[in-house]
């Protein structure tokens, strides 16, 4: 069988390229049937690959430039050519690779991906996903920052794309979908959210729509897919990250506050290791800009090797799934209905 | 000295009136100089007060009706008279009491308070506050649900009201203020947020404005006052609650996963008790609808006695502060500038 090739931005992220190489080490140690196209400074990468068992599965594409983590998307766009990020995306566009992964500048990655891969037919606004740890396992939240606002049509599109994505990533046949709102009553919430709910409730889109969910329902895993606009989704995601960090700090303080509690923590070490694993953002690393003609996965810029491996695994799962066909079919159903917020009012 | 009188909705909340009485027990045990006006079913309350040392500081006002926790605000408004919630608010309106506290239906409390107390001169939209535990202590977040949207003028109003409120509650001379946004760069974010930032940055409102904060900055305590619209604020608040609960569940599971870890948890008991105290929502219970001619504090409906006591303490602090005068002065400064989003564009 021909290997599935993935293109990697080797220079993106806070600790690149070392973390990228270490992450690929982990990914390729666990998964077979893949080839890697590594975009970045060839001499630096050659040195790092030296002695790796998988260096023969790996092609280095020399890219002299790197998109700075603080570069503005507009300026990054103008200088995309010759960058490790631009090269990794272009390979997906050309069909040379099945998916691309970068831990670099998020805004630049979104802008370059949109310009290069273009939106799928029927998509008005691509949406950024996050995978969220829950009491039941994992959920998808979208949009977490690709757009500042979303009208009802766009929220419905996000629901269609998110549902297909959840099926591809979680392997669940019929993922459940909820709309993020304040209060669960029908009459509450912003107009766009209410119109979107009306569409999802009444039109036959083949989606298992569970109605409104509130912020606290995300972590319980009330639904598999939580749909919201990019502003609200981004604030929710970062608020959750901040809260988890706050609570972890408290836990650490509690378990080192005295000799006795330190001894207790030592006894409870294996349980606490489980806890660290559960709270480890590496385990849920990987955002995808849904709605483009190609798979690009964004890894957290500050990720460790394990997290980068998670993002690569996500990309490989998507590349081998038929989620793009599913999204296309779902969007066709939406466009056939000819829905618009006005039609529902 | 004449005691400060507080009016209490004795029947509001999931475990009323018992939790309310127990909460007053705690509050009055710790604070002197207060009298209580207890609104609710007189015979039931009389029984509960029997033998309390503070029953002589307490006047019972018989109110035969209770606003149901799931009542719609509109229907609650029509039947406000004769309810324990309506009575507690009316007493503030009449000037009989210095502040009112209720753990009842939030929507009904907001609607009744607005109708009865009316907005302060210069206030376009009252805003609901939440007190947020942070790495540095506590911060105020507003609006957390009184409004669905907020334009730039309203966000500036929230900043003015929130700053005065933080000074009254935290006793900090110059609380810092931030605007919730996605990304900290100047060019990012929704127009209303950008316009509000421009106003707060360039006009002399006497506010120590620190610019944009992101979701993760709330928990670190980056600023004392986080300003946002009610939809975003409500989602952030509930998302944080859900995340804290998720992490706490993980911690509990980690510390009971084996005999060894249970033994460890027993040794670390005192440290873990600190942790529980820090995570205990009772310690930050109490939301205030800012911008009305009077102080009404909303306690969480599912609070325990300690939490209700916290909400009463918050109300008593506000009643004894000059925050309403401060808010009025701040709003006068805003109106003198004659600002509007258009003026900044």
């Amino acid at each position: 069988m021909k290997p599935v090739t993935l293109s990697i931005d080797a220079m993106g992220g806070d600790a690149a390229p070392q973390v990228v190489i270490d992450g690929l080490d982990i990914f390729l140690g666990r998964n077979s049937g893949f080839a890697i196209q590594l975009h970045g400074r060839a001499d630096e990468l050659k040195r790092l690959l030296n002695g790796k068992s998988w260096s023969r599965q790996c092609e280095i594409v020399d890219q002299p430039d790197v998109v700075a983590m603080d570069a503005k998307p507009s300026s990054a766009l103008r200088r995309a050519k010759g960058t490790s990020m631009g090269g990794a995306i272009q390979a997906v566009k050309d069909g040379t690779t099945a998916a691309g992964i970068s831990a670099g500048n998020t805004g630049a990655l979104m802008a370059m991906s949109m310009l290069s891969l273009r939106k799928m037919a029927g998509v008005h606004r691509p949406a950024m996903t996050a995978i969220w740890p829950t009491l039941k396992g994992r959920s998808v939240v979208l949009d977490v920052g690709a757009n500042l606002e979303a009208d009802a049509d766009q929220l419905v599109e996000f629901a269609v794309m998110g549902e297909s994505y959840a099926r591809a990533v979680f392997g669940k046949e019929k993922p459940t979908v909820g709309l993020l709102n304040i209060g669960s009553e029908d009459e509450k919430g912003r107009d766009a959210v209410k119109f979107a709910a009306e569409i999802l409730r009444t039109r036959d889109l083949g989606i298992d729509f569970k109605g409104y969910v509130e912020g606290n329902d995300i972590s319980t895993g009330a639904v598999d897919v939580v749909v919201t606009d990019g502003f609200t989704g981004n604030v929710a995601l970062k608020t959750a990250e901040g809260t988890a960090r706050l609570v972890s700090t408290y836990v650490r303080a509690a378990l080192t506050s005295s000799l006795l509690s330190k001894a207790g923590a030592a006894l409870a070490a294996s349980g606490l290791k489980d806890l660290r694993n559960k709270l480890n953002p590496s385990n849920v690393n990987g955002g995808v800009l849904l709605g483009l003609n190609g798979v690009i996965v964004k890894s957290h810029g500050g990720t460790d090797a394990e997290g980068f491996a998670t993002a690569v695994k996500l990309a490989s799962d998507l590349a081998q799934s038929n989620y793009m066909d599913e999204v296309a079919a779902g969007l066709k159903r939406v466009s056939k209905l000819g829905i618009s917020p006005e039609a529902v009012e």
Side-chain angles (χ1 to χ4, degrees), chain A:
Chain A
M1 222 172 78
K2 214 171 155 265
V4 174
T5 306
L6 306 170
S7 50
I8 313 278
D9 169 7
M11 316 306 287
D14 301 339
Q18 187 65 55
V19 158
V20 171
I21 302 298
D22 294 345
L24 287 171
D25 228 15
I26 296 172
F27 172 78
L28 293 167
R30 290 177 191 159
N31 302 278
S32 57
F34 292 96
I36 299 297
Q37 201 181 72
L38 211 51
H39 292 257
R41 293 192 191 109
D43 43 352
E44 200 173 342
L45 295 175
K46 255 177 218 152
R47 252 197 329 275
L48 288 170
L49 282 184
N50 199 2
K52 296 284 178 204
S53 60
W54 47 273
S55 61
R56 284 207 294 174
Q57 294 161 252
C58 183
E59 174 198 359
I60 295 176
V61 183
D62 187 40
Q63 308 282 4
D65 294 332
V66 176
V67 176
M69 289 306 268
D70 58 354
K72 287 193 185 174
S74 52
S75 86
L77 266 189
R78 283 195 299 274
R79 293 173 216 145
K81 228 186 133 120
T83 64
S84 56
M85 183 186 282
I89 296 169
Q90 189 60 37
V92 176
K93 155 92 175 167
D94 296 341
T96 322
T97 60
I101 300 100
S102 173
N105 181 322
T106 308
L109 186 69
M110 288 201 288
M112 283 188 194
S113 302
M114 273 197 257
L115 190 73
S116 170
L117 298 173
R118 303 277 166 187
K119 294 182 289 186
M120 290 175 65
V123 171
H124 294 95
R125 293 277 187 172
M128 193 66 158
T129 63
I131 293 178
W132 197 292
T134 73
L135 283 176
K136 293 185 188 162
R138 298 178 299 168
S139 296
V140 177
V141 180
L142 79 166
D143 176 18
V144 294
N147 311 279
L148 289 169
E149 323 249 359
D151 63 20
D153 277 354
Q154 284 158 13
L155 290 171
V156 171
E157 266 184 39
F158 295 171
V160 168
M161 296 194 295
E163 200 245 7
S164 301
Y165 174 73
R167 184 161 34 245
V169 175
F170 300 153
K172 220 172 177 176
E173 206 183 318
K174 203 75 198 157
T176 53
V177 176
L179 266 173
L180 192 58
N181 199 352
I182 65 174
S184 49
E185 305 85 16
D186 281 358
E187 76 275 9
K188 256 189 166 172
R190 289 183 172 162
D191 285 347
V193 176
K194 290 200 278 187
F195 294 151
E198 181 67 18
I199 294 169
L200 290 166
R201 208 176 278 128
T202 58
R203 309 301 176 94
D204 185 23
L205 293 168
I207 287 178
D208 188 4
F209 178 60
K210 297 293 188 196
Y212 297 137
V213 293
E214 296 189 71
N216 49 316
D217 297 322
I218 310 177
S219 293
T220 60
V223 290
D224 297 310
V225 182
V226 176
V227 174
T228 187
D229 67 89
F231 189 92
T232 309
N234 187 282
V235 167
L237 181 66
K238 291 195 171 158
T239 300
E241 285 173 0
T243 306
R245 209 170 304 131
L246 177 75
V247 177
S248 302
T249 305
Y250 285 166
V251 172
R252 211 173 307 123
L255 292 175
T256 53
S257 61
S258 71
L259 270 179
L260 258 187
S261 60
K262 275 183 201 163
L267 283 182
S270 82
L272 291 172
K273 202 181 151 201
D274 287 351
L275 173 66
R276 264 196 302 279
N277 282 338
K278 275 187 175 155
L279 290 180
N280 188 348
S282 305
N283 295 330
V284 291
N285 187 34
V288 181
L289 194 58
L290 296 182
L292 301 182
N293 293 305
V295 175
I296 300 290
V297 172
K298 166 74 176 84
S299 161
H300 204 287
T303 190
D304 59 10
E306 190 64 54
F308 196 81
T310 304
V312 178
K313 178 73 168 69
L314 178 63
S316 71
D317 285 347
L318 280 175
Q320 294 175 292
S321 78
N322 57 349
Y323 104 99
M324 300 233 319
D325 298 335
E326 277 200 27
V327 168
L331 292 174
K332 205 172 260 176
R333 277 196 294 277
V334 173
S335 73
K336 266 191 190 152
L337 293 174
I339 48 178
S340 77
E342 289 72 31
V344 183
E345 238 175 319

